Amino acid sequence: MYIETVPNRNSPPAVLLREGYREGGKIVKRTLANLSHWDAQLVEHFRLLLKGGVAVESLDAVMTIERSLPHGHVAAVLGAARACGAEKWFASAPEQLRSVLLAMLCARVLGPASKLATHRMLHDDTATSSLGRVLGVGQCQADDLYRALDWLHEAQPTLERALARKHLVGSTLVLYDLTSTWLTGHCCELAARGHSRDGKRDDPQIVFGLVCTSEGCPIAVEVFKGNTADPATVASQVAKLKERFGIQRLAWVGDRGMLTSARIEQVLKPQDMDWVSSLRAPQIALLAAEQGPFQPSLFDQRNLIELTSEHFPGERLIVCRNPALAEERARKRGELLAATEADLGKIAAATQRARNPLRGEQAIALRVGRVIERFHMAKHLELTITDTALRWTRKTDAIAAEAALDGLYVIRTSLAATQLDGPAAVAAYKSLAHVERAFRCMKTIDLHVRPVFHYNTERVRAHVLLCMLAYYVEWHMRECLKPMLFDDEFIEQAQAARASPVNKALRSEHAKAKDATKRGDDGSPLHSFRTLVQDLATVAYNITSTSLNPNAKIVITTRPTPVQAKAFKLLGVNPVCSQ
């Protein structure tokens, strides 16, 4: 006997129990019963019995799923971390801390949280992913994470030296920039009030500087007190690369607030280091006075000209003109002047009203000061304040002098044109956007460097280092996963095709097509990095057992979807073999 499924045109197929036998030397069959009304699972059990198998009353009688943990994102991040060399980073740590360090690194990418929350995420009793089981740290203690953090602080010079030797040897440019993040509490010795990049003026903060390759790959990070000025951090970073890492010749790329003229003269030149930076507005005005007005006719189709100046000996100056930026600055200045004069007009009217007029030079000046502070237009207005009146006129010469420099910025570099031509120097300066992207990922989007739950100086430094290492892993994951993300895969070709490096950066046609269709080249849906990680997390790590041997645990990983399989292939990861 056997069960046969017979197609039935547009109706559900007929499920028949049949028997085959010989009649007159031929094999014939006859139908014994119609099983079409049976439940599909019951039909399959009956089919199994007819083949000599053993049927069970339910699936639970054969196998029980004891626990199901999100696993795909763990396999992806852990595989990427190992490909980046994370196991070698922690090879010198005490044996019991190596897996804990690797788990803390991956947890920062998967779900940034406090060390106590990370411990709960790893522990077998409270795990929210398979990370603790895969790395065998499901029974670790919370103190193990803090001991690992202490080791990480001591190992920072060694870790950064390894990254520098891997990425900076043979390079010309290194990017450096600074940011801040605020702290809660007053116990950390690094916490101090300073210039906040986040607008948190009332809270103490720390400042940390990030060193990256020209492509934006992070190499080193250092934490400073919150009231440390940007230029004051340059000397320690130059010494770090030259003395600790043994790199003798590099060109530093930093903004004009970082690589000031004083820092160039006092730090970079004595260390025989090159630089790419830009001039401040007063320096640009001085250059314009020396060279004559920079008329639009002086610029070629690339919107840049190269020149030298006696005020900057041994440097090449690349004057860039951005017409779009010039138009925007002129528009903004005009609107601010109009808004300032409108508010000043209200004050002038208050001094002349018939009922309760505004009187007193000090009272009028206080109201004028609030307006001036709001719009920052005092440099363009000549104010006359008396006890009974307010008058003002525009400083037309000052406005015209500023308008002449609209849309202009000047790149300064000590590198020869054979090493870095004009367009390349402009592109190198603009590559500081890579560091800004790193700061966004570390501070807000993915890794959440704050809130900082530590007050011990060494642990605060180690916490920031852990976030940098996590961004290092994420950076490499993004490079591998670009075909599945909205990231531009052909950004270098798009930049090379621009008529001028001064123009605004544009996305490639391929990236625009991705934005429009929300689909990859193979038709699969595109993701942001964070939503792709969430998608991969649906690949489950199922811990099962059988009724025959309940003590034997069998791990079954769910089958990836086509989108998930593509991600694992791009990363070179097998989610089943992630131990």
Side-chain angles (χ1 to χ4, degrees):
M1 290 189 296
Y2 61 95
I3 295 176
E4 185 175 5
T5 302
V6 181
N8 194 11
R9 294 186 180 180
N10 296 327
S11 300
V15 181
L16 306 175
L17 176 63
R18 285 182 165 174
E19 178 185 38
Y21 61 94
R22 289 183 178 275
E23 186 177 283
K26 295 183 178 180
I27 298 177
V28 295
K29 56 185 176 181
R30 60 184 175 185
T31 301
L32 301 179
N34 189 336
L35 309 180
S36 300
H37 61 286
W38 281 24
D39 182 84
Q41 185 175 357
L42 184 59
V43 171
E44 292 304 315
H45 285 176
F46 193 15
R47 195 192 305 269
L48 182 63
L49 285 172
L50 293 176
K51 292 181 178 180
V54 178
V56 294
E57 57 184 84
S58 68
L59 181 62
D60 292 340
V62 179
M63 182 172 290
T64 301
I65 300 178
E66 299 184 359
R67 196 166 188 183
S68 184
L69 296 169
H71 172 68
H73 60 332
V74 171
V77 175
L78 183 58
R82 285 170 169 160
C84 290
E87 290 179 322
K88 293 181 180 179
W89 299 344
F90 309 136
S92 60
E95 186 175 356
Q96 66 272 22
L97 296 182
R98 294 172 192 169
S99 296
V100 175
L101 285 161
L102 188 56
M104 291 170 64
L105 174 67
C106 296
R108 201 73 213 173
V109 181
L110 297 172
S114 68
K115 302 305 176 289
L116 183 59
T118 301
H119 171 257
R120 286 196 293 267
M121 184 182 79
L122 296 174
H123 200 276
D124 289 338
D125 297 336
T126 54
T128 57
S129 73
S130 64
L131 183 59
R133 288 181 175 269
V134 168
L135 290 176
V137 294
Q139 294 298 319
C140 69
Q141 302 299 316
D143 286 343
D144 293 336
L145 274 68
Y146 293 109
R147 290 195 297 116
L149 207 62
D150 294 338
W151 178 90
L152 192 63
H153 173 259
E154 296 176 359
Q156 180 170 358
T158 304
L159 296 175
E160 292 179 342
R161 188 182 304 114
L163 294 179
R165 288 176 178 174
K166 181 177 181 180
H167 293 283
L168 293 184
V169 173
S171 298
T172 302
L173 302 176
V174 61
L175 310 180
Y176 178 62
D177 206 353
L178 210 69
T179 191
S180 61
T181 189
W182 73 96
L183 302 180
T184 52
H186 304 276
C187 297
C188 181
E189 296 179 359
L190 293 170
R193 285 180 171 81
H195 171 62
S196 174
R197 281 83 170 168
D198 305 311
K200 302 289 288 186
R201 299 179 180 178
D202 298 330
D203 294 319
Q205 65 178 19
I206 57 172
V207 170
F208 59 94
L210 189 64
V211 177
C212 296
T213 66
S214 57
E215 294 81 20
C217 180
I219 298 299
V221 69
E222 186 163 346
V223 181
F224 305 91
K225 290 196 67 171
N227 57 1
T228 306
D230 290 11
T233 67
V234 176
S236 63
Q237 302 308 302
V238 173
K240 177 187 289 187
L241 261 68
K242 191 164 187 178
E243 298 171 9
R244 186 190 301 176
F245 301 162
I247 300 175
Q248 298 298 320
R249 189 81 181 182
L250 273 178
W252 287 79
V253 183
D255 61 33
R256 59 189 179 181
M258 183 76 64
L259 299 183
T260 61
S261 294
R263 220 47 51 181
I264 289 173
E265 293 294 331
Q266 298 170 11
V267 178
L268 296 183
K269 283 187 177 180
Q271 296 287 345
D272 198 26
M273 291 282 186
D274 290 304
W275 60 88
V276 178
S277 186
S278 64
L279 299 185
R280 294 174 178 267
Q283 294 172 319
I284 297 177
L286 180 65
L287 185 66
E290 176 191 352
Q291 301 287 335
F294 294 119
Q295 300 295 336
S297 59
L298 297 175
F299 295 89
D300 59 17
Q301 61 180 358
R302 297 175 302 172
N303 282 322
L304 59 86
I305 55 175
E306 289 194 42
L307 48 85
T308 58
S309 170
E310 61 180 12
H311 298 290
F312 305 96
E315 296 187 49
R316 294 166 51 228
L317 303 177
I318 299 97
V319 184
C320 306
R321 179 179 180 274
N322 188 329
L325 180 60
E327 182 179 346
E328 173 62 19
R329 287 184 175 174
R331 180 196 64 80
K332 186 175 181 180
R333 181 173 50 253
E335 291 181 356
L336 288 174
L337 279 169
T340 303
E341 291 179 324
D343 284 0
L344 291 177
K346 295 177 182 178
I347 299 174
T351 64
Q352 304 301 316
R353 62 194 175 201
R355 183 179 179 181
N356 192 24
L358 180 62
R359 289 290 182 264
E361 182 178 347
Q362 184 176 3
I364 297 173
L366 284 173
R367 292 186 60 176
V368 170
R370 286 195 291 267
V371 174
I372 295 298
E373 177 66 23
R374 180 182 178 188
F375 296 110
H376 303 287
M377 287 288 106
K379 58 185 176 180
H380 293 323
L381 297 174
E382 185 71 40
L383 299 170
T384 303
I385 303 175
T386 66
D387 287 337
T388 59
L390 165 66
R391 294 184 296 275
W392 70 91
T393 57
R394 291 191 178 188
K395 298 178 182 178
T396 55
D397 291 342
I399 295 174
E402 184 178 272
L405 301 179
D406 282 349
L408 295 180
Y409 58 93
V410 181
I411 307 299
R412 60 186 300 190
T413 179
S414 61
L415 291 169
T418 54
Q419 296 176 279
L420 198 72
D421 61 16
V426 176
Y429 186 75
K430 287 190 171 185
S431 65
L432 284 172
H434 294 317
V435 190
E436 294 297 331
R437 177 181 181 179
F439 286 148
R440 286 195 299 273
C441 286
M442 289 177 64
K443 292 174 62 175
T444 57
I445 300 175
D446 296 323
L447 305 176
H448 299 287
V449 71
R450 72 158 310 279
V452 180
F453 294 97
H454 309 283
Y455 63 86
N456 179 284
T457 299
E458 289 74 19
R459 288 181 179 173
V460 170
R461 295 184 188 275
H463 167 73
V464 175
L465 173 62
L466 181 66
C467 292
M468 188 213 78
L469 294 175
Y471 179 68
Y472 181 91
V473 174
E474 180 181 321
W475 187 88
H476 284 86
M477 290 184 70
R478 286 178 177 272
E479 291 296 305
C480 294
L481 295 171
K482 272 187 176 181
M484 300 187 67
L485 305 177
F486 285 98
D487 294 14
D488 195 343
E489 300 174 54
F490 303 99
I491 187 170
E492 293 183 0
Q493 294 88 326
Q495 306 310 336
R498 283 187 299 173
S500 168
V502 179
N503 294 344
K504 182 181 178 180
L506 300 175
R507 289 171 66 79
S508 67
E509 294 300 322
H510 183 265
K512 292 178 182 178
K514 289 167 69 174
D515 293 340
T517 63
K518 308 296 187 294
R519 297 275 172 176
D521 294 339
D522 58 356
S524 60
L526 295 174
H527 276 285
S528 68
F529 179 79
R530 187 50 54 190
T531 58
L532 180 55
V533 170
Q534 293 170 352
D535 185 356
L536 295 176
T538 61
V539 176
Y541 183 93
N542 299 299
I543 304 168
T544 66
S545 62
T546 64
S547 57
L548 298 177
N549 188 0
N551 294 325
K553 308 303 179 186
I554 304 172
V555 175
I556 301 177
T557 304
T558 54
R559 182 179 301 172
T561 65
V563 172
Q564 293 166 344
K566 180 181 178 181
F568 290 131
K569 183 178 180 181
L570 291 173
L571 292 171
V573 172
N574 184 349
V576 178
C577 304
S578 55
Q579 298 289 349

